[in-house]
Amino acid sequence: MRDRDAGLRLAGDHLSVLEESGEKEILSLSYASIVQAFYSRSKQPRWKGPDGKDEEANVELGKLSLFRGERNWLTLTTQASPVFLRFENADLQAALSAVQERTRVTVQRLAPER
């Protein structure tokens, strides 16, 4: 997995992740397929697995990633694989509210890393 700029569209009965240009769809996910949603402010996406234990992904963040601080991650879990979305501070609250409203899944906020 690698980090890349993209756009998020919430429409109809699904969310779409689009290339930065907005022309090509990278991922489409129906709202009904989302089981849980987790927000974490961390270096890597974090969420709770089906057994309730903390899990963490390893996303390639590019050159100098060792020096980058924490980021805003929204992890959507499905029956298949989790989906990781990263948001800038300015977009975070609107994105979390919109995803929660459309999916009707409460976004669970995880405690900060220690």
Side-chain angles (χ1 to χ4, degrees), residues 96-110:
L96 293 180
S97 294
V99 167
Q100 188 165 273
E101 180 182 321
R102 293 290 184 110
T103 65
R104 301 187 193 278
V105 173
T106 301
V107 176
Q108 300 174 53
R109 292 177 181 260
L110 299 178

Side-chain angles (χ1 to χ4, degrees), residues 86-99:
R86 182 180 56 80
F87 294 96
E88 298 300 330
N89 290 340
D91 302 323
L92 178 63
Q93 290 308 317
L96 293 180
S97 294
V99 167

Side-chain angles (χ1 to χ4, degrees), residues 4 6-19 24-34 76 78 80-85 103:
R4 64 181 176 177
L8 178 65
R9 178 176 31 199
L10 303 168
D13 63 351
H14 68 281
L15 67 84
S16 299
V17 178
L18 308 168
E19 283 187 340
K24 184 177 178 186
E25 189 174 76
I26 299 169
L27 169 82
S28 179
L29 187 64
S30 74
Y31 299 146
S33 70
I34 298 170
L76 304 174
T78 67
S81 302
V83 174
F84 310 113
L85 305 171
T103 65

Side-chain angles (χ1 to χ4, degrees), residues 59-99:
V59 175
E60 173 58 46
L61 300 173
K63 294 179 182 180
L64 303 175
S65 64
L66 179 64
F67 302 106
R68 291 197 177 143
E70 296 176 334
R71 297 183 170 207
N72 298 307
W73 296 101
L74 176 62
T75 302
L76 304 174
T77 63
T78 67
Q79 292 297 328
S81 302
V83 174
F84 310 113
L85 305 171
R86 182 180 56 80
F87 294 96
E88 298 300 330
N89 290 340
D91 302 323
L92 178 63
Q93 290 308 317
L96 293 180
S97 294
V99 167

Side-chain angles (χ1 to χ4, degrees), residues 40-59:
S40 65
R41 176 121 178 114
S42 49
K43 287 191 177 194
Q44 295 288 341
R46 297 174 37 233
W47 71 100
K48 296 219 179 261
D51 58 2
K53 292 184 180 178
D54 290 343
E55 298 199 31
E56 183 175 287
N58 187 19
V59 175

